[in-house]
Amino acid sequence: MTAETLPSDVTIHPIPAFTDNYIWCIHNNTNAIVVDPGDAEPVLSYLNTKGLTLSAVLITHHHQDHTGGISKLATAVPDLPIIGPRGNHIRGITKSVAQGDTVSLPILNLSFQVMEVPGHTLDHIAFFGHGALFCGDTLFSAGCGRLFEGSPEQMYHSLNKLKRLPDSTIVYCTHEYTQANVKFALAVEPDNKALNSYADWVAEKRSQNLPTLPSNLKEQKNINPFLRAHELSVKTTAEAYCENKLVDDVAVFAAVRRWKDEF
Ligand code: ZN
Ligand code: FE
Protein backbone atom coordinates (compact mmCIF):
# COMPACT_ATOMS: atom_id res chain seq x y z
CA MET A 1 0.00 0.00 0.00
CA THR A 2 1.17 3.50 -0.78
CA ALA A 3 0.74 6.47 1.54
CA GLU A 4 -2.64 8.16 1.35
CA THR A 5 -1.35 11.64 0.64
CA LEU A 6 1.47 13.21 -1.29
CA PRO A 7 4.69 14.05 0.54
CA SER A 8 4.32 17.66 1.75
CA ASP A 9 7.05 18.97 -0.57
CA VAL A 10 5.48 17.50 -3.72
CA THR A 11 3.18 19.42 -6.05
CA ILE A 12 1.48 18.43 -9.31
CA HIS A 13 1.30 20.93 -12.14
CA PRO A 14 -0.42 20.71 -15.54
CA ILE A 15 1.83 21.54 -18.50
CA PRO A 16 -0.49 22.37 -21.41
CA ALA A 17 0.35 20.72 -24.74
CA PHE A 18 -1.27 20.71 -28.19
CA THR A 19 -4.79 22.10 -27.99
CA ASP A 20 -6.22 20.25 -25.00
CA ASN A 21 -3.64 17.90 -23.44
CA TYR A 22 -2.17 18.27 -19.98
CA ILE A 23 1.20 16.74 -19.26
CA TRP A 24 1.14 16.36 -15.47
CA CYS A 25 4.41 17.27 -13.81
CA ILE A 26 4.96 15.90 -10.30
CA HIS A 27 7.84 17.70 -8.60
CA ASN A 28 9.44 18.84 -5.35
CA ASN A 29 11.11 21.96 -6.78
CA THR A 30 14.24 19.92 -7.52
CA ASN A 31 13.27 16.65 -9.20
CA ALA A 32 10.35 15.99 -11.50
CA ILE A 33 8.34 13.22 -13.11
CA VAL A 34 6.08 13.77 -16.09
CA VAL A 35 3.09 11.72 -17.16
CA ASP A 36 2.29 11.20 -20.87
CA PRO A 37 4.62 13.69 -22.55
CA GLY A 38 3.05 13.87 -26.00
CA ASP A 39 5.39 16.73 -26.79
CA ALA A 40 8.88 17.29 -25.34
CA GLU A 41 9.12 21.06 -25.95
CA PRO A 42 6.63 22.33 -23.35
CA VAL A 43 8.10 19.86 -20.83
CA LEU A 44 11.69 20.95 -21.40
CA SER A 45 10.75 24.60 -21.22
CA TYR A 46 8.80 24.10 -17.96
CA LEU A 47 11.69 22.13 -16.41
CA ASN A 48 14.10 24.82 -17.54
CA THR A 49 12.04 27.71 -16.16
CA LYS A 50 11.59 25.95 -12.82
CA GLY A 51 15.13 24.57 -12.63
CA LEU A 52 13.87 21.00 -12.34
CA THR A 53 15.71 17.77 -13.16
CA LEU A 54 13.62 15.16 -14.94
CA SER A 55 13.86 11.86 -13.02
CA ALA A 56 11.30 9.63 -14.73
CA VAL A 57 8.49 9.47 -17.26
CA LEU A 58 5.22 7.58 -16.81
CA ILE A 59 3.20 6.49 -19.86
CA THR A 60 -0.45 5.37 -19.75
CA HIS A 61 -0.96 4.14 -23.34
CA HIS A 62 0.52 4.13 -26.80
CA HIS A 63 -1.25 7.07 -28.49
CA GLN A 64 1.04 9.65 -30.06
CA ASP A 65 -0.35 12.58 -28.04
CA HIS A 66 0.87 10.74 -24.90
CA THR A 67 4.17 9.35 -26.18
CA GLY A 68 5.40 11.74 -28.90
CA GLY A 69 7.90 13.47 -26.61
CA ILE A 70 9.63 10.32 -25.35
CA SER A 71 12.59 10.21 -27.72
CA LYS A 72 13.50 13.86 -27.33
CA LEU A 73 13.28 13.66 -23.53
CA ALA A 74 15.40 10.49 -23.52
CA THR A 75 18.02 12.31 -25.59
CA ALA A 76 17.94 15.35 -23.31
CA VAL A 77 18.22 13.26 -20.12
CA PRO A 78 20.60 10.26 -20.34
CA ASP A 79 19.43 7.07 -18.59
CA LEU A 80 15.95 8.48 -18.05
CA PRO A 81 13.60 5.75 -16.73
CA ILE A 82 10.50 5.57 -18.94
CA ILE A 83 7.84 3.42 -17.37
CA GLY A 84 4.79 2.24 -19.29
CA PRO A 85 2.64 -0.63 -20.55
CA ARG A 86 4.15 -3.98 -21.45
CA GLY A 87 4.17 -5.26 -25.02
CA ASN A 88 7.26 -3.64 -26.54
CA HIS A 89 5.09 -1.61 -28.91
CA ILE A 90 5.99 1.79 -27.45
CA ARG A 91 9.44 2.89 -28.53
CA GLY A 92 11.59 4.18 -25.69
CA ILE A 93 9.96 2.42 -22.73
CA THR A 94 12.74 1.22 -20.43
CA LYS A 95 10.55 -0.56 -17.89
CA SER A 96 7.24 -2.29 -18.63
CA VAL A 97 4.70 -2.65 -15.89
CA ALA A 98 1.44 -4.54 -15.43
CA GLN A 99 -1.50 -4.86 -13.05
CA GLY A 100 -0.39 -5.05 -9.44
CA ASP A 101 3.13 -3.76 -10.02
CA THR A 102 4.42 -0.95 -7.86
CA VAL A 103 6.39 1.87 -9.44
CA SER A 104 8.87 3.25 -6.91
CA LEU A 105 10.28 6.71 -7.40
CA PRO A 106 12.47 7.11 -4.30
CA ILE A 107 13.93 10.42 -5.46
CA LEU A 108 10.51 12.00 -4.79
CA ASN A 109 9.46 9.55 -2.06
CA LEU A 110 6.66 8.34 -4.27
CA SER A 111 5.29 4.98 -5.25
CA PHE A 112 2.37 4.18 -7.50
CA GLN A 113 0.32 1.05 -8.04
CA VAL A 114 -0.28 0.04 -11.62
CA MET A 115 -3.85 -0.71 -12.70
CA GLU A 116 -4.66 -2.19 -16.10
CA VAL A 117 -7.66 -0.36 -17.52
CA PRO A 118 -8.29 -1.57 -21.10
CA GLY A 119 -11.00 0.09 -23.19
CA HIS A 120 -9.75 3.30 -24.83
CA THR A 121 -6.78 1.15 -25.90
CA LEU A 122 -5.97 -2.42 -24.92
CA ASP A 123 -2.62 -1.45 -23.38
CA HIS A 124 -4.02 1.34 -21.19
CA ILE A 125 -2.76 1.50 -17.61
CA ALA A 126 -3.32 3.95 -14.75
CA PHE A 127 -1.06 4.92 -11.88
CA PHE A 128 -2.49 5.30 -8.37
CA GLY A 129 -0.71 6.42 -5.24
CA HIS A 130 -0.76 9.04 -2.48
CA GLY A 131 -4.44 9.70 -3.17
CA ALA A 132 -3.66 10.64 -6.78
CA LEU A 133 -4.82 8.83 -9.92
CA PHE A 134 -3.21 9.35 -13.32
CA CYS A 135 -5.74 7.79 -15.62
CA GLY A 136 -4.71 9.02 -19.08
CA ASP A 137 -7.62 8.77 -21.51
CA THR A 138 -9.68 6.28 -19.48
CA LEU A 139 -11.61 8.66 -17.22
CA PHE A 140 -12.20 12.31 -18.10
CA SER A 141 -14.11 14.84 -16.10
CA ALA A 142 -17.77 14.16 -16.95
CA GLY A 143 -16.64 11.72 -19.64
CA CYS A 144 -14.52 8.75 -20.59
CA GLY A 145 -12.18 7.81 -23.40
CA ARG A 146 -13.47 6.77 -26.78
CA LEU A 147 -13.38 3.00 -27.40
CA PHE A 148 -10.67 2.72 -30.03
CA GLU A 149 -9.54 -0.81 -29.20
CA GLY A 150 -11.52 -2.27 -26.33
CA SER A 151 -15.15 -3.34 -25.96
CA PRO A 152 -17.78 -1.44 -23.97
CA GLU A 153 -17.68 -4.28 -21.45
CA GLN A 154 -13.91 -3.90 -20.95
CA MET A 155 -14.22 -0.15 -20.47
CA TYR A 156 -17.14 -0.59 -18.07
CA HIS A 157 -15.05 -2.93 -15.92
CA SER A 158 -12.02 -0.63 -16.10
CA LEU A 159 -14.09 2.33 -14.93
CA ASN A 160 -15.57 0.21 -12.15
CA LYS A 161 -12.04 -0.63 -11.04
CA LEU A 162 -11.29 3.10 -10.77
CA LYS A 163 -14.59 3.66 -8.97
CA ARG A 164 -13.48 1.33 -6.18
CA LEU A 165 -10.64 3.69 -5.24
CA PRO A 166 -11.33 6.02 -2.28
CA ASP A 167 -13.84 8.84 -2.97
CA SER A 168 -11.18 11.37 -2.00
CA THR A 169 -8.92 10.26 -4.89
CA ILE A 170 -7.74 13.21 -6.96
CA VAL A 171 -8.20 12.44 -10.64
CA TYR A 172 -5.58 13.71 -13.09
CA CYS A 173 -6.95 13.18 -16.61
CA THR A 174 -4.97 13.97 -19.74
CA HIS A 175 -7.45 16.13 -21.65
CA GLU A 176 -9.36 19.34 -21.09
CA TYR A 177 -12.55 17.96 -22.60
CA THR A 178 -14.67 18.92 -19.62
CA GLN A 179 -16.90 21.58 -21.14
CA ALA A 180 -17.95 19.46 -24.13
CA ASN A 181 -18.37 16.46 -21.83
CA VAL A 182 -20.62 18.44 -19.50
CA LYS A 183 -22.83 19.47 -22.40
CA PHE A 184 -23.36 15.81 -23.24
CA ALA A 185 -23.77 14.79 -19.59
CA LEU A 186 -26.59 17.34 -19.29
CA ALA A 187 -28.33 15.73 -22.27
CA VAL A 188 -28.17 12.40 -20.39
CA GLU A 189 -29.17 13.81 -17.00
CA PRO A 190 -30.79 17.24 -17.40
CA ASP A 191 -32.14 17.17 -13.84
CA ASN A 192 -28.91 16.18 -12.07
CA LYS A 193 -28.41 19.05 -9.58
CA ALA A 194 -24.74 18.37 -8.91
CA LEU A 195 -24.11 18.28 -12.65
CA ASN A 196 -25.91 21.57 -13.23
CA SER A 197 -23.86 23.38 -10.62
CA TYR A 198 -20.70 21.72 -11.92
CA ALA A 199 -21.58 23.01 -15.42
CA ASP A 200 -21.69 26.58 -14.06
CA TRP A 201 -18.33 26.12 -12.33
CA VAL A 202 -16.77 24.70 -15.53
CA ALA A 203 -18.11 27.58 -17.64
CA GLU A 204 -16.61 30.06 -15.18
CA LYS A 205 -13.20 28.33 -15.20
CA ARG A 206 -13.07 28.02 -18.98
CA SER A 207 -14.14 31.62 -19.52
CA GLN A 208 -10.95 32.52 -17.66
CA ASN A 209 -9.00 29.91 -19.62
CA LEU A 210 -8.25 27.99 -16.39
CA PRO A 211 -8.02 24.18 -16.15
CA THR A 212 -11.03 22.27 -14.83
CA LEU A 213 -8.67 19.51 -13.71
CA PRO A 214 -7.84 17.74 -11.52
CA SER A 215 -11.19 16.49 -10.29
CA ASN A 216 -11.95 13.95 -7.57
CA LEU A 217 -13.67 10.61 -7.62
CA LYS A 218 -16.57 11.64 -5.40
CA GLU A 219 -17.42 14.49 -7.76
CA GLN A 220 -17.13 12.20 -10.78
CA LYS A 221 -19.48 9.65 -9.21
CA ASN A 222 -22.06 12.44 -8.93
CA ILE A 223 -21.72 14.02 -12.36
CA ASN A 224 -20.12 11.60 -14.82
CA PRO A 225 -22.74 9.65 -16.82
CA PHE A 226 -20.16 6.95 -17.60
CA LEU A 227 -19.87 6.17 -13.88
CA ARG A 228 -23.64 6.30 -13.43
CA ALA A 229 -25.02 3.52 -15.66
CA HIS A 230 -26.73 2.08 -12.55
CA GLU A 231 -28.82 5.25 -12.08
CA LEU A 232 -32.41 5.13 -13.30
CA SER A 233 -32.07 8.66 -14.73
CA VAL A 234 -29.23 7.50 -17.00
CA LYS A 235 -30.93 4.25 -17.98
CA THR A 236 -34.13 6.10 -18.90
CA THR A 237 -32.55 8.58 -21.32
CA ALA A 238 -30.21 5.90 -22.73
CA GLU A 239 -33.23 3.70 -23.51
CA ALA A 240 -34.99 6.65 -25.13
CA TYR A 241 -31.88 7.28 -27.23
CA CYS A 242 -31.65 3.72 -28.55
CA GLU A 243 -35.43 3.13 -28.53
CA ASN A 244 -34.82 -0.15 -26.78
CA LYS A 245 -34.87 -1.73 -23.33
CA LEU A 246 -31.40 -2.05 -21.84
CA VAL A 247 -30.95 -5.24 -19.86
CA ASP A 248 -28.07 -4.34 -17.56
CA ASP A 249 -25.57 -1.65 -16.56
CA VAL A 250 -23.07 -2.71 -19.24
CA ALA A 251 -25.75 -2.26 -21.91
CA VAL A 252 -26.60 1.17 -20.48
CA PHE A 253 -22.92 2.13 -20.48
CA ALA A 254 -22.49 0.91 -24.07
CA ALA A 255 -25.54 2.91 -25.21
CA VAL A 256 -24.33 6.10 -23.51
CA ARG A 257 -20.88 5.66 -25.06
CA ARG A 258 -22.43 5.22 -28.54
CA TRP A 259 -24.68 8.23 -27.94
CA LYS A 260 -21.65 10.35 -27.02
CA ASP A 261 -19.85 9.27 -30.21
CA GLU A 262 -22.76 10.63 -32.23
CA PHE A 263 -23.47 13.68 -30.07
ZN1 ZN B 1 -5.49 8.28 -26.20
FE1 FE C 1 -5.11 11.42 -25.61
Side-chain angles (χ1 to χ4, degrees):
M1 276 304 280
T2 59
E4 278 170 34
T5 55
L6 286 169
S8 59
D9 60 341
V10 169
T11 52
I12 304 181
H13 173 84
I15 303 172
F18 310 116
T19 49
D20 50 34
N21 283 63
Y22 293 128
I23 300 167
W24 294 101
C25 179
I26 311 164
H27 72 85
N28 64 358
N29 286 315
T30 307
N31 295 295
I33 296 162
V34 292
V35 184
D36 286 351
D39 189 1
E41 286 314 323
V43 173
L44 292 169
S45 100
Y46 183 75
L47 297 172
N48 194 29
T49 313
K50 288 277 191 178
L52 300 170
T53 303
L54 187 60
S55 305
V57 172
L58 303 181
I59 300 291
T60 63
H61 67 293
H62 69 84
H63 283 161
Q64 182 69 14
D65 65 309
H66 300 248
T67 56
I70 290 178
S71 71
K72 219 171 196 173
L73 292 176
T75 308
V77 185
D79 302 321
L80 179 66
I82 299 169
I83 301 149
R86 60 190 164 160
N88 293 322
H89 56 300
I90 304 172
R91 198 186 276 257
I93 297 255
T94 63
K95 187 174 195 274
S96 328
V97 289
Q99 176 67 38
D101 286 349
T102 299
V103 175
S104 292
L105 304 154
I107 201 154
L108 284 160
N109 278 314
L110 295 173
S111 66
F112 293 103
Q113 294 164 23
V114 176
M115 302 169 79
E116 289 182 355
V117 285
H120 174 68
T121 60
L122 292 177
D123 70 346
H124 208 304
I125 57 175
F127 299 91
F128 173 71
H130 310 273
L133 173 69
F134 298 90
C135 51
D137 288 355
T138 297
L139 178 63
F140 295 128
S141 184
C144 77
R146 221 174 245 270
L147 301 180
F148 285 115
E149 296 175 8
S151 66
E153 188 153 19
Q154 276 175 317
M155 187 60 144
Y156 175 80
H157 289 298
S158 293
L159 291 171
N160 264 350
K161 215 162 162 179
L162 300 182
K163 258 172 97 172
R164 288 194 290 270
L165 294 172
D167 273 355
S168 58
T169 301
I170 311 292
V171 180
Y172 296 87
C173 328
T174 309
H175 290 274
E176 183 61 68
Y177 289 158
T178 313
Q179 202 155 24
N181 286 344
V182 161
K183 202 173 158 199
F184 172 72
L186 282 168
V188 181
E189 285 190 290
D191 301 324
N192 178 332
K193 279 208 178 75
L195 177 59
N196 277 281
S197 33
Y198 184 69
D200 293 341
W201 178 85
V202 169
E204 174 68 25
K205 285 276 171 190
R206 294 313 292 152
S207 72
Q208 298 173 61
N209 211 19
L210 292 170
T212 60
L213 298 168
S215 179
N216 66 70
L217 205 51
K218 184 170 188 205
E219 179 169 68
Q220 290 307 311
K221 285 181 183 173
N222 290 328
I223 63 147
N224 191 325
F226 297 99
L227 300 183
R228 295 170 58 77
H230 59 284
E231 295 284 344
L232 187 60
S233 49
V234 175
K235 186 176 188 242
T236 306
T237 49
E239 286 184 338
Y241 164 75
C242 48
E243 298 173 342
N244 232 325
K245 285 272 162 226
L246 295 166
V247 290
D248 56 19
D249 293 354
V250 176
V252 173
F253 171 81
V256 175
R257 186 56 261 182
R258 245 183 300 125
W259 182 4
K260 173 72 165 64
D261 290 342
E262 288 160 14
F263 189 72

